[in-house]
């Protein structure tokens, strides 16, 4: 039984709390938050993050559920000095330097820090690696969606006259099917995905102007051939668009000899992005606790951990049941 | 540069020879066969398998390309006493005991033996493990095809009156789509796949009787709701059905909380089953050579090897390019 702590209690932290219930070999010690623990809406034990050092001997691994922008870059190295940690740090450009920083802390303090788990980075990265290693001649394509993009939803909400909004990223299914058929495609940002917006207007706002502003927003919407904007009521938004679904596809189309096309496809369709990300974090928390027991200290990514470490089953059972 | 030897020169051995050409960090030392090496139709160096002991110092890893029925169970442990090995042993029921036998030999002789690579067992096993570890509440389904089943093709060829035949296994796409939609299915052997046979009749054979015999063949065809038998000419069979395509899908439908369905899908669509199997073997040969250098001796499966070992790129490059 490995003992787990959760740091941060937003969507991801709540997801980890939920999925730990079906992990028979992991036990939740408590949730650590910068907010007043008495105010957290949870039945699990809750503590002030400031008191976390008192739990050094009671926790085998911490799952860091803060934001990648400002929380994890500081919290990760600080907590890795005393605890084994798992995080879902997802700022792709900064991952290499984050790895180096936390690796040094973890090695100096004999801890394990598993970084950037989840699905992208995470399982998608794993499949990009596996497919490229197996099919060195070829091309890899990543498609995201159908799912809610928090960044794009926020961008729409910042448009003057918009009261609330949700943005769905939708992959171009025709391109995916063309790849499955072994044919080549021209993957461009503007055609690989389309964008679907449901927005609630402020009273008296000019829908035509709002729509123009969304469609022409640089980086977020302007590069896309297809952007659909629908104005709906707050009631409809709350009723039909309050979920956080996501998913996507990593496809590698390779060839093992000039005539032989081989298509490798990894696809996720997720009702809840934060809960699935949490489920991946929890599996890697199991791995982190084991690696620490074996003295395999330092920073690790999904690339560095043998799959068997993620399962609660032993090697012999895995070979019998799943190989 | 790791030096590789191929043992056995059937479809798989030829596949390994082909894919090694695009592996810049692996070098083919030679092909070892029980047949007269001068008779092998290859431009690579070819040697008698009986002479393989002379190559102990020249080969870092052997890829065993013999059959799982009679070759690998003997060759594996015998060769693992002197060489690092990789094989695609695919007799699922016997894998646990084969693992134990070769593990003992490999540990005693300080070699690495990677067993049961390929795609099933192999990548499909890996995805069964990952998806179950991440989504402990749920069900995993494996679908095979569309692809040629060698066993079923052989069974049809043994029917009296059949001159030649090819059998395709076809997955039930409706079931796969139902799973993708998050709905539950009733997975039964007879409906999860259908079977499509192209057969060439001997002169004067009774097509009606042959068809009856195929459709009612126990285990191979009788359990299936849909078995289609088409009689065609030898010319048509040679022209349209000489490839060895295959593939399939591992799907896990899980839930992270009562309302949240999560669908995990891994799909392969392969023009050439033996060449893709070979490509997986070659990536694991790279891993075997590295594990041996690190002194991590013994038998390993796809469950036991961190993904980074499969890639020719170093850790920093992988984090920058693929995470």
């Amino acid at each position: 039984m490995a003992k787990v702590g959760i740091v941060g209690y937003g969507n991801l932290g709540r997801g980890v709390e939920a999925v730990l219930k079906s992990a028979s070999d992991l036990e939740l010690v408590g949730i650590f938050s910068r907010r007043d623990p008495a105010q957290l809406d949870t039945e699990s034990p809750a503590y002030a993050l400031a008191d976390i050092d008192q739990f050094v001997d009671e926790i085998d691994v911490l799952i860091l559920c803060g934001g990648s922008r400002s929380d994890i870059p500081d919290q990760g190295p600080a907590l890795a000095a005393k605890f084994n940690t798992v995080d879902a740090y997802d700022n792709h450009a900064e991952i290499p330097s984050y790895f180096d920083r936390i690796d040094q802390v973890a090695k100096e303090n004999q801890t394990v820090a598993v970084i950037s788990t989840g699905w992208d980075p995470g399982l998608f990265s794993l499949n990009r690696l596996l497919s490229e290693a197996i099919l060195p001649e070829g091309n890899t394509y990543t498609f995201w969606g159908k799912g809610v993009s928090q960044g794009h939803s926020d961008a729409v909400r910042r448009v003057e006259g918009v009261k609330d909004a949700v943005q769905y990223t939708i992959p171009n299914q025709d391109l995916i099917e063309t790849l499955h058929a072994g044919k080549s495609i021209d993957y461009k940002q503007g055609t690989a995905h389309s964008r679907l917006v449901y927005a609630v207007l402020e009273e008296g706002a000019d829908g035509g102007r709002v729509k123009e502003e969304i469609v022409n927003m640089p980086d977020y919407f302007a590069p896309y051939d297809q952007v659909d904007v629908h104005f709906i009521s707050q009631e409809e938004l709350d009723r039909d668009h309050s979920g956080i679904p996501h998913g996507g596809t990593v496809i590698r189309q390779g060839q093992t000899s000039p005539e032989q096309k081989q298509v490798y496809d990894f696809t996720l369709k997720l009702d809840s992005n934060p809960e699935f990300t949490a489920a991946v974090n929890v599996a890697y928390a199991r791995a982190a606790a084991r690696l620490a027991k074996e003295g395999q200290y330092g920073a690790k990514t999904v690339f560095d951990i043998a799959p068997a470490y993620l399962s609660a089953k032993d090697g012999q059972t895995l070979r019998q049941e799943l190989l």
Side-chain angles (χ1 to χ4, degrees), chain A residues 260-320:
Chain A
Q260 307 292 345
K261 283 266 173 61
Q262 317 277 20
V263 181
Y264 176 116
D265 177 304
F266 178 71
T267 293
L268 295 172
K269 295 193 178 184
L270 310 173
D271 275 359
S272 167
N273 181 358
E275 283 193 9
F276 187 78
T277 302
V280 179
N281 277 326
V282 166
Y284 279 98
R286 178 179 292 122
R290 288 189 187 160
L291 289 164
K293 258 195 189 160
E294 294 178 6
Q296 297 196 46
Y297 304 125
K300 317 273 175 196
T301 74
V302 295
F303 299 159
D304 308 311
I305 297 174
Y309 283 95
L310 305 182
S311 173
K313 296 178 175 170
D314 66 20
Q316 200 180 349
T317 307
L318 290 175
R319 289 190 289 277
Q320 266 166 9

Side-chain angles (χ1 to χ4, degrees), chain A residues 154 200 211 220 222 278 294:
Chain A
D154 287 345
V200 180
K211 192 170 174 174
Y220 284 89
E294 294 178 6

Side-chain angles (χ1 to χ4, degrees), chain A residues 83-164:
Chain A
F83 296 90
N84 302 308
T85 62
V86 171
D87 68 51
Y89 183 68
D90 68 357
N91 187 343
H92 290 259
E94 296 296 323
I95 287 173
S97 68
Y98 177 63
F99 179 94
D100 291 340
R101 284 198 296 134
I102 202 165
D103 186 46
Q104 193 184 340
V105 173
K107 283 186 176 144
E108 280 172 8
N109 295 281
Q110 303 205 324
T111 63
V112 172
V114 181
I115 71 159
S116 302
T117 69
W119 59 275
D120 196 1
L123 297 182
F124 272 23
S125 323
L126 186 60
N127 281 283
R128 285 189 283 261
L129 186 160
L130 285 173
S131 60
E132 182 190 278
I134 291 163
L135 299 168
E137 304 281 337
N139 292 295
T140 301
Y141 306 89
T142 303
F143 294 87
W144 293 273
K146 180 185 176 176
V148 172
S149 161
Q150 217 54 62
H152 286 78
S153 299
D154 287 345
V156 174
R157 283 190 211 104
R158 284 192 295 267
V159 171
E160 207 190 309
V162 172
K163 190 179 159 201
D164 202 352

Side-chain angles (χ1 to χ4, degrees), chain A residues 118-285:
Chain A
W119 59 275
D120 196 1
L123 297 182
F124 272 23
S125 323
L126 186 60
N127 281 283
R128 285 189 283 261
L129 186 160
L130 285 173
S131 60
E132 182 190 278
I134 291 163
L135 299 168
E137 304 281 337
N139 292 295
T140 301
Y141 306 89
T142 303
F143 294 87
W144 293 273
K146 180 185 176 176
V148 172
S149 161
Q150 217 54 62
H152 286 78
S153 299
D154 287 345
V156 174
R157 283 190 211 104
R158 284 192 295 267
V159 171
E160 207 190 309
V162 172
K163 190 179 159 201
D164 202 352
V166 170
Q167 194 266 190
Y168 295 97
T169 304
I170 298 171
N172 184 332
Q173 211 58 44
D174 289 345
L175 289 185
I176 294 175
E177 278 162 30
T178 305
L179 288 169
H180 273 208
K183 292 178 191 137
S184 60
I185 65 161
D186 187 15
Y187 182 103
K188 284 181 189 159
Q189 185 188 10
T191 52
H193 299 86
S194 62
R195 301 202 166 273
L196 173 60
V197 175
Y198 291 95
V200 180
L201 288 174
E202 306 267 17
E203 224 184 289
D206 174 357
R209 195 255 316 148
V210 166
K211 192 170 174 174
E212 276 304 296
E213 225 173 287
I214 293 170
V215 168
N216 294 307
M217 195 186 297
D219 301 332
Y220 284 89
F221 293 98
Y224 294 86
D225 289 1
Q226 196 181 342
V227 179
D228 294 315
V229 181
H230 300 280
F231 296 119
I232 60 177
S233 68
Q234 186 74 53
E235 291 70 40
E236 287 171 297
L237 193 80
D238 294 344
R239 187 190 65 209
D240 301 334
H241 304 285
S242 62
I244 316 179
H246 219 314
T249 298
V250 171
I251 296 190
R252 187 166 180 89
Q253 196 185 62
Q255 48 192 54
T256 44
S257 63
E259 297 295 310
Q260 307 292 345
K261 283 266 173 61
Q262 317 277 20
V263 181
Y264 176 116
D265 177 304
F266 178 71
T267 293
L268 295 172
K269 295 193 178 184
L270 310 173
D271 275 359
S272 167
N273 181 358
E275 283 193 9
F276 187 78
T277 302
V280 179
N281 277 326
V282 166
Y284 279 98

Side-chain angles (χ1 to χ4, degrees), chain A residues 8-10 14 32-41 47-49:
Chain A
Y9 198 60
R14 280 192 295 272
F32 297 83
S33 170
R34 278 176 305 216
R35 288 179 278 168
D36 175 1
Q39 302 301 317
L40 292 187
D41 180 25
Y47 306 100
L49 181 55

